[in-house]
């Protein structure tokens, strides 16, 4: 691997240096924490540290005599002098009190170098000296390969013996984290590094050792290093575990023996876990787990034929983690009751992940599936005994779904390609040999998670533990049911699966009722809500399985309303968010296919799949918003309200488009009928939302009303008056009175007028007046188009405009203005009178700009005569009726005095 042995030696030295540097940093951090803890105690507060002491010197004074550095005893005089101001009693008390310790001198530069750096550098120098001596012997030709190897081994042994001798003889050999260098640990680390390098050089450089022998020797060195870590501290433990797991990489073979490899890794893992348990070194357990999991990846490339040794690897590691790492289970560290411990749960989850990878890589081989099932069952068992491992239950549920989902997708390649799917006869089918095993496994998993999740309620004092169990009990059976449905019936209609979903819904409902009758305990309410949600989800799946694919949209929408109802019974914030999430999923669903069921929507107006696909979700979301509003105005409520408005609007617009275009909702253009209906519907919905927002005060209802009003205005301007204007374009408007003009202009004018009164006094005056102006414009447009329809027939864009037609326009405008004036006087409406003034002003402009130039003969005379008479009459009405009525209503006189 290395052409020059000294390249490898330099690498080893660098690794050792990094390890000891890390150890020094850990010691300093630990000292700082202990010093802060001592200073925080009342004793430390009562006896402040003299200002002349450094923190390390003050800390050393708090240590027992065996650990603290020896100091010369203070010289105390035989008789303490009595101050003149002191009484004899005071002098006696002062003599009885122990004298304060003398301050120690500051640690100087010389002491720091002599106690720390010299030792550390000395350890590295010893290793380098051995390497350089071997190099000199090679360059001078003094020693052959065999002698070099033997001397390297002897030097390693000497360093190890020196480390052990100093550990037994020197008082500084304690493993306590003192601010001095640990000489025995450094000597031992140097010895193990030299031994490791010697064995590797004998194998890789000189070929003295066969791979099996080198593998065994390197493993023994690594295990010996781990054993020495019991005496010499964590630095050797890190060196040993890294060396042990790296050894198989250094010693390779053309025909690897995976059984030997994984047996060796099991021994190394057991040693690392045992050491971590004895010393309570969490980092060592995590390091071993990570390396063990990493060793799963490269071996997966060997294919499904080597499932046995891979399965043994994850199974052995899982058992060792359960025995030695999981808190509160068998030989693991003590556990905090009712708390999830990350290392305990993560260790089991790591080996579950390894088993999942083996299952996927082996194409769901029977052996791999059995081992995976054993590990899942083991996770449930360990978590049942120890709350610390409850996190592994959630990981197991997720990985079970991954396995079965991959199995379903692998067998249904058409789920990942175009809707046409692959050619018939290609790919696996539902009768291959693995289906039976997967069906049995799915049933066992569903029953195991469901029953265990229900029975686990009330067993823990912590609130999070029962929630984890109940979430796994709800999620796993539902996920497995969906995966099997996709795998076996290819997402088609299936009554048997619908029956299974109904049975599952009944089981969840029964669990909900049983738990609701129990005495309240931590986490119970959340678990009840999860089981109730699972019942609704199962019912939604039953609808999906039994009916066509479009019912999935309906089922999810109903589930959103059901979740909102459950949130009123069990006020858990998550349920409100879940209702909003389901509503968002339904919105995304229609974005994929607005027709809900594709071409199966049919051509029947109104009563088609659009009515069910949009109407039922709209009703569901309106009901959900009413239920959620009881819990306050928040983001989930606003999401559901927005979905309710969106689906209501889309229902109307899609039905209009479907009816107008003979079932083709993807028609390229819109006609006058469609635009007119959309404007009417938008104005009607805006009126409804304006009334609703007064009651609810919802910002969503407020924004929805404004958006619908804006849409109606834009559609009226650009659609009715421009793009679909029957005077500008060839459009057949139909009959004389009952025609498209009544729908496109008269009805929108009435609705706009009603909307202006709905917002009057509740929105800015300019907003209401703008809507009223739009109503006036639509009314004038309707009057104009109806007159033209009389003179030109159904198609109004052709033919000349005669004098009689122009005269009719003027008379009609004048009459309309008079009618508006009468309404304004009768109901005392200033807005109607202003509208009358606008219409009459337009009539005057028309008379002088158009009639004067286009009309001739009697029409011109009659036009101006009628206009003059109307203007005089208007002036008389204002003078004699309007202002007289105002003058006849003087302000009320003050009340008469009660005295006489």
């Amino acid at each position: 691997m290395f052409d020059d042995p000294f390249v490898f030696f330099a690498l080893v030295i660098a690794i050792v240096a990094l390890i000891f540097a890390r150890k020094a940093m850990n010691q300093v951090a630990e000292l700082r924490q202990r010093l802060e803890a001592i200073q925080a105690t009342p004793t430390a507060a009562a006896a402040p540290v003299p200002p002349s002491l450094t923190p390390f010197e003050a800390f050393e004074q708090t240590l027992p005599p065996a650990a603290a550095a020896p100091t010369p005893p203070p010289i105390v005089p035989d008789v303490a002098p009595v101050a003149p101001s002191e009484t004899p009693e005071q002098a006696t008390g002062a003599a009885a009190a122990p004298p304060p310790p003398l301050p120690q001198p500051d640690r100087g530069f010389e002491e720091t170098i002599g106690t720390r750096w010299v030792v550390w550098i000395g350890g590295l120098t010893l290793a380098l000296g051995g390497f350089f001596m071997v190099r000199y012997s090679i360059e001078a030709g003094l020693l052959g390969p065999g002698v070099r190897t033997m001397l390297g081994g002897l030097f390693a042994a000497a360093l190890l013996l020196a480390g052990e001798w100093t550990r037994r003889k020197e008082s500084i050999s304690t493993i306590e984290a003192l601010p001095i260098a640990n000489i025995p640990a450094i000597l031992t680390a140097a010895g193990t590094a030299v031994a490791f390098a010697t064995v590797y050089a004998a194998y890789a450089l000189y070929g003295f050792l066969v791979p099996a022998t080198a593998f065994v020797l390197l493993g023994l060195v690594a295990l010996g290093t781990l054993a020495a870590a019991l005496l010499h501290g964590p630095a050797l433990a890190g060196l040993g575990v890294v060396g042990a797991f790296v050894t198989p990489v250094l010693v390779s073979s053309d025909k690897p023996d995976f059984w030997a490899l994984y047996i060796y890794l099991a021994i190394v893992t057991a040693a690392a876990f045992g050491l971590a348990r004895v010393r309570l070194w969490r980092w060592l357990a995590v390091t071993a787990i990570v390396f063990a999991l990493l060793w799963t990846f490269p071996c997966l490339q060997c294919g499904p034929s080597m499932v046995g040794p891979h399965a043994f690897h994850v199974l052995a590691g899982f058992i060792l983690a359960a025995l030695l790492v999981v808190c509160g289970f068998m030989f693991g560290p003590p556990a905090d009751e009712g708390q999830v411990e990350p290392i305990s749960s993560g260790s089991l989850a790591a080996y579950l992940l390894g088993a999942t990878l083996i299952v996927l890589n082996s194409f769901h081989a029977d052996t791999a599936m059995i081992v995976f099932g054993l590990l899942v069952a083991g996770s449930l068992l360990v978590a049942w005994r120890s709350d610390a491992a409850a996190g592994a239950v959630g990981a197991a549920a997720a990985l079970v779904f991954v396995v079965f989902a991959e199995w379903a997708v692998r067998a249904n390649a058409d789920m990942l390609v175009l809707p046409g799917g692959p050619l018939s006869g290609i790919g696996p089918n539902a009768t291959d040999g693995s289906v039976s095993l997967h069906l049995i496994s799915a049933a066992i998993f569903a029953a195991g998670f469901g029953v265990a999740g229900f029975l686990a309620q009330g067993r823990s004092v912590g609130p999070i533990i029962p929630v984890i169990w109940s979430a796994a009990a709800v999620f796993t059976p539902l996920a497995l049911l969906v995966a099997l449905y996709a795998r076996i019936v290819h997402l088609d209609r299936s009554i048997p699966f619908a029956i299974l979903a109904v049975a599952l819904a009944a089981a969840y409902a029964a669990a909900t009722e049983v738990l609701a009758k129990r005495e309240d305990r931590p986490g119970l309410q959340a678990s009840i809500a999860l089981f109730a949600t699972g019942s609704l989800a199962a019912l939604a799946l039953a609808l999906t399985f039994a009916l066509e694919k479009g019912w999935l949209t309906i089922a999810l929408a109903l589930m959103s309303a059901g979740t909102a109802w459950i949130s009123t019974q069990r006020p858990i914030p998550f349920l409100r968010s879940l209702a909003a999430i389901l509503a968002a999923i339904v919105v995304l669903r229609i974005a994929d296919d607005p027709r809900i069921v594709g071409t199966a929507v049919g051509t029947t107006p109104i009563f088609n799949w659009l009515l069910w696909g949009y109407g039922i979700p709209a009703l569901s979301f309106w009901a959900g918003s009413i239920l959620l509003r009881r819990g306050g105005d928040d983001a989930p409520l606003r999401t559901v309200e927005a979905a309710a408005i969106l689906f209501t609007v889309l229902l109307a617009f899609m039905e209009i488009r479907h009816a107008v275009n003979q079932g083709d909702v993807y028609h390229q253009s819109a006609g006058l009928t469609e635009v007119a209906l959309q404007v009417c519907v938008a104005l009607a919905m805006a009126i409804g939302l304006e009334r609703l927002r007064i009651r609810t005060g919802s910002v969503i209802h407020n924004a929805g009303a404004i958006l619908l009003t804006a849409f109606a205005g834009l559609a009226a301007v650009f659609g009715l008056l421009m793009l679909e204007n029957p005077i500008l374009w060839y459009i057949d408007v139909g009959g004389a009175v009952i025609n498209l003009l009544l729908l496109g202009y008269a009805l929108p004018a009435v609705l706009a007028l009603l909307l202006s009164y709905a917002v009057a006094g509740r929105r800015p005056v300019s907003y209401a007046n703008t809507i009223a102006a739009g109503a006036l414009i639509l009314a004038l447009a309707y009057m104009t188009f109806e007159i033209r329809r009389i003179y030109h027939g159904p198609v109004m864009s052709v033919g000349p405009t005669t004098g009689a037609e122009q005269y009719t326009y003027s008379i009609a405008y004048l009459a309309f203005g008079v009618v508006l004036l009468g309404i304004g006087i009768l109901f005392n409406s200033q807005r109607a009178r202003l509208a009358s003034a606008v219409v009459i002003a337009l009539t005057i402009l028309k008379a002088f700009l158009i009639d004067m130039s286009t009309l001739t003969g009697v029409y011109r005379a009659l036009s101006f005569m009628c206009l003059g008479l109307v203007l005089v009459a208007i002036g008389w009405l204002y003078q004699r009726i309007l202002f007289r009525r105002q003058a006849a209503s003087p302000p009320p006189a003050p009340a008469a005095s009660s005295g006489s």
Side-chain angles (χ1 to χ4, degrees):
M1 183 175 180
F2 297 100
D3 297 333
D4 189 349
F6 297 100
V7 175
F8 174 75
F9 294 155
L11 178 61
V12 172
I13 293 170
I15 294 175
V16 173
L18 288 174
I19 291 173
F20 283 106
R22 178 62 179 172
K23 177 185 176 182
M25 294 173 63
N26 292 337
Q27 289 178 340
V28 172
E30 184 177 355
L31 284 172
R32 186 180 291 109
Q33 294 175 359
R34 293 178 61 182
L35 182 59
E36 292 175 353
I38 293 173
Q39 291 176 345
T41 58
T43 304
V49 179
S52 60
L53 296 182
T54 65
F56 282 121
E57 293 167 343
F59 173 66
E60 288 180 357
Q61 290 187 5
T62 65
L63 297 176
T71 55
I75 301 175
V76 182
D78 296 334
V79 179
V82 180
S85 60
E86 288 182 337
T87 63
E89 292 78 4
Q90 293 175 339
T92 304
L102 295 179
Q104 297 182 359
D106 294 339
R107 188 185 304 275
F109 176 76
E110 180 181 2
E111 184 177 358
T112 302
I113 294 295
T115 59
R116 302 185 193 177
W117 295 103
V118 168
V119 179
W120 292 339
I121 296 174
L124 294 178
T125 304
L126 286 174
L128 286 174
F131 298 156
F132 291 150
M133 179 61 69
V134 174
R135 181 173 184 176
Y136 170 75
S137 66
I138 295 173
E139 293 175 350
L142 300 177
L143 301 175
V147 178
R148 300 173 205 160
T149 304
M150 183 180 63
L151 291 178
L154 292 175
F155 184 58
L159 289 174
L160 293 174
L161 291 175
E164 179 63 17
W165 182 81
T166 54
R167 184 189 69 82
R168 296 186 177 185
K169 296 297 182 180
E170 297 292 336
S171 61
I172 60 174
S173 62
T174 177
I175 304 179
E176 293 292 333
L178 297 179
I180 57 177
N182 194 327
I183 294 176
I186 292 176
L187 291 175
T188 305
T192 56
V194 173
F196 203 89
T198 301
V199 175
Y200 181 74
Y203 159 72
L205 301 180
Y206 306 131
F208 291 154
L209 302 176
V210 296
T213 305
F215 183 82
V216 172
L217 291 178
L218 289 175
L220 290 176
V221 172
L223 292 175
T225 306
L226 284 174
L230 286 170
L231 301 175
H232 296 285
L236 272 181
L239 180 63
V241 74
V242 172
F245 280 102
V246 171
T247 293
V249 178
L250 300 178
V251 181
S252 59
S253 174
D254 296 335
K255 296 181 179 179
D257 186 351
F258 286 104
W259 280 108
L261 169 65
Y262 285 134
I263 291 174
Y264 164 77
L265 291 178
I267 296 174
V268 171
T269 304
F273 285 171
L275 180 58
R277 172 63 184 92
V278 172
R279 290 297 185 184
L280 295 180
W281 290 337
R282 296 160 58 95
W283 64 268
L284 183 59
V286 173
T287 304
I289 292 170
V290 171
F291 273 109
L293 182 61
L294 290 176
W295 264 112
T296 306
F297 289 93
C299 299
L300 292 176
Q301 301 175 0
C302 299
S305 60
M306 297 298 296
V307 173
H310 303 334
F312 167 79
H313 173 56
V314 296
L315 188 59
F318 183 90
I319 294 174
L320 290 173
L323 294 177
L324 299 173
V325 177
V326 175
C327 297
F329 182 80
M330 298 299 289
F331 308 110
D336 295 331
E337 188 178 3
Q339 299 293 326
V340 178
E341 203 277 316
I343 305 300
S344 301
S345 300
S347 61
L348 301 183
Y351 287 105
L352 277 171
L353 176 60
T356 303
L357 295 176
I358 295 172
V359 170
L360 301 183
N361 186 74
S362 64
F363 303 101
H364 296 254
D366 291 352
T367 304
M369 282 295 299
I370 293 173
V371 172
F372 177 74
L374 291 176
L375 263 62
V376 171
S379 299
L380 297 181
L381 175 62
V382 175
W384 185 270
R385 289 283 305 275
S386 174
D387 289 345
V393 175
L399 293 175
V400 165
F401 172 69
V402 168
V403 168
F404 280 84
E406 193 272 345
W407 178 65
V409 173
R410 184 191 296 274
N412 294 277
D414 54 329
M415 296 172 62
L416 302 178
V417 294
L418 296 176
L423 298 176
S424 59
I426 296 180
N429 52 54
T431 59
D432 58 22
S434 64
V435 172
S436 299
L437 178 62
H438 281 75
L439 289 177
I440 296 173
S441 301
I444 294 175
F445 285 143
F449 278 95
V451 173
F454 174 76
L455 296 178
Q457 303 304 312
R459 297 184 69 253
S460 176
V461 298
I464 189 63
I465 306 299
V467 173
I468 294 175
W469 279 102
S470 59
V474 171
F475 169 79
T476 308
L478 291 174
L480 290 174
L481 189 62
V482 172
L484 293 177
Y485 169 70
R487 170 64 176 82
I488 295 176
V489 299
H490 305 277
L491 302 181
D492 287 334
R493 192 169 169 223
S494 175
I495 298 301
F497 273 97
I499 295 175
L500 288 176
V502 171
L504 192 59
Y508 287 145
T512 303
E513 290 300 319
V514 171
L515 293 177
K517 297 177 181 178
R518 292 185 180 180
E519 182 182 357
D520 192 17
R521 290 179 61 87
L524 180 61
Q525 296 301 320
S527 298
I528 294 173
L530 286 171
F531 278 107
T533 305
S535 180
L536 292 174
L539 289 176
L541 288 178
L543 290 175
T544 304
F545 297 158
L547 303 172
E548 300 296 333
K549 296 179 182 178
W551 286 98
L552 177 60
T553 304
I554 297 175
L556 291 175
L558 292 174
M559 184 177 172
S560 175
T563 306
W565 176 78
I566 295 174
S567 69
T568 62
Q569 306 300 314
R570 309 291 179 185
I572 300 173
F574 168 73
L575 293 178
R576 299 176 63 86
S577 300
L578 179 59
I581 292 172
L582 292 171
I585 292 174
V586 177
V587 173
L588 295 177
R589 167 69 179 86
I590 65 168
D592 177 63
D593 185 3
R595 298 175 298 179
I596 307 295
V597 290
T599 57
V601 68
T603 58
T604 304
I606 307 300
F607 297 100
N608 50 56
W609 244 104
L610 295 175
L611 179 62
W612 321 122
Y614 285 96
I616 296 178
L619 291 175
S620 175
F621 294 146
W622 281 115
S625 65
I626 294 173
L627 294 170
L628 290 177
R629 181 162 293 280
R630 300 175 184 176
D633 189 356
D634 53 6
L637 169 64
R638 296 174 183 177
T639 302
V640 176
E641 286 181 340
I645 295 174
L646 176 63
F647 268 77
T648 305
V649 173
L650 289 178
L651 170 63
F653 285 6
M654 293 295 287
E655 285 285 12
I656 291 171
R657 190 160 183 80
H658 178 274
V660 172
N661 298 294
Q662 291 76 44
D664 184 11
V665 298
Y666 291 148
H667 192 69
Q668 293 296 327
S669 61
L672 177 60
T673 304
E674 182 178 349
V675 175
L677 289 171
Q678 289 178 348
V679 171
C680 292
V681 167
L683 289 172
M685 290 183 179
I687 294 172
L689 288 177
E690 289 290 350
R691 297 296 184 186
L692 183 60
R693 76 178 184 89
I694 297 174
R695 296 171 51 191
T696 63
S698 170
V699 295
I700 299 299
H701 295 161
N702 178 64
I706 295 175
L707 291 175
L708 285 172
T709 302
F711 171 80
L714 294 175
V717 173
F718 293 100
L720 299 178
L721 300 178
M722 295 177 61
L723 298 178
E724 302 297 335
N725 192 324
I727 295 180
L728 302 178
W729 311 102
Y730 187 92
I731 299 174
D732 188 345
V733 297
V737 178
I738 307 300
N739 51 36
L740 288 180
L741 300 177
L742 188 66
L743 176 66
Y745 299 94
L747 185 57
V750 173
L751 291 172
L753 182 63
L754 294 176
L755 179 59
S756 68
Y757 280 102
V759 301
R762 297 183 176 89
R763 291 194 184 275
V765 176
S766 58
Y767 186 85
N769 289 339
T770 302
I771 298 174
L776 180 62
I777 294 172
L778 289 172
L780 288 174
Y782 171 69
M783 186 182 305
T784 302
F785 295 161
E786 276 291 354
I787 295 173
R788 190 164 181 85
R789 166 65 181 78
I790 295 173
Y791 284 94
H792 292 264
V795 180
M796 302 182 296
S797 60
V798 295
T801 302
T802 63
E805 183 180 347
Q806 287 289 1
Y807 177 72
T808 306
Y809 290 144
S810 299
I811 294 300
Y813 293 163
L814 196 58
F816 184 50
V818 172
V819 170
L820 289 176
L821 179 60
I823 293 174
I825 293 174
L826 182 63
F827 295 99
N828 195 23
S829 172
Q830 185 182 22
R831 182 182 297 172
R833 296 196 301 269
L834 290 176
S836 170
V838 171
V839 172
I840 293 176
L842 290 175
T843 306
I844 295 172
L845 289 176
K846 180 182 180 298
F848 284 95
L849 296 179
I850 299 176
D851 293 354
M852 186 177 292
S853 60
T854 58
L855 295 180
T856 59
V858 67
Y859 289 118
R860 179 186 297 176
L862 290 175
S863 174
F864 277 88
M865 290 172 59
C866 292
L867 178 60
L869 290 175
V870 169
L871 292 177
V872 172
I874 290 173
W876 182 84
L877 288 173
Y878 270 87
Q879 294 176 10
R880 298 293 181 180
I881 298 179
L882 183 63
F883 287 103
R884 176 178 293 183
R885 177 180 298 179
Q886 293 177 353
S889 302
S897 176
S898 59
S900 57

